Amino acid sequence: QVQLVESGGGLVQAGGSLRLSCAASGTISSIDYMGWYRQVPGKQRDMVASITGSGTTHYVDSVKGRFTISMDNAKNTVYLQMNSLKLEDTAVYYCNAAVRRGPFTVINYWGQGTQVTVSS
């Protein structure tokens, strides 16, 4: 089994910064992909940023230039540095990972979510 444990959420004023972390533990051969998604009540969960095991990153347009995703392969941990936060960044942020557990098996996992609240 694999667990994703997120940390780093909280309350911050607009214009401030937060850093989210997500550590994967358990039976892991390698991680093909890790990403951060966010969800507000009544809306679907949307991808914010992603990174592959080889370091290729992708961002949704609304966070480009403000958020940076990075991954420590040795620690199976992904980070999301969020700068210049806006009110509309308020959401529950979820970590997602595609974990390779063998040569032919890749399983998708979700973290429990961490609340990010940006105040004016």
Side-chain angles (χ1 to χ4, degrees):
Q1 183 68 331
V2 172
Q3 287 188 324
L4 302 182
V5 178
E6 299 143 337
S7 60
L11 174 65
V12 64
Q13 285 191 324
S17 298
L18 282 175
R19 189 192 193 208
L20 305 183
S21 300
C22 172
S25 61
T27 304
I28 300 171
S29 295
S30 63
I31 295 179
D32 286 359
Y33 158 102
M34 294 190 85
W36 288 97
Y37 291 69
R38 64 188 179 188
Q39 188 172 24
V40 298
K43 294 192 175 182
Q44 68 179 21
R45 191 175 298 183
D46 294 324
M47 194 278 289
V48 175
S50 66
I51 185 167
T52 66
S54 58
T56 300
T57 59
H58 178 74
Y59 298 92
V60 67
D61 285 346
S62 61
V63 307
K64 286 181 179 178
R66 300 189 297 122
F67 291 10
T68 302
I69 190 169
S70 59
M71 186 161 67
D72 185 332
N73 291 323
K75 296 182 179 180
N76 291 328
T77 298
V78 66
Y79 306 95
L80 185 67
Q81 178 66 44
M82 305 186 293
N83 298 329
S84 302
L85 283 161
K86 302 178 181 180
L87 297 178
E88 52 264 41
D89 294 319
T90 296
V92 178
Y93 283 70
Y94 295 90
C95 176
N96 177 261
V99 177
R100 186 166 294 277
R101 300 188 65 189
F104 308 109
T105 304
V106 178
I107 300 177
N108 193 261
Y109 294 93
W110 288 95
Q112 79 284 358
T114 185
Q115 176 71 46
V116 171
T117 302
V118 184
S119 65
S120 59

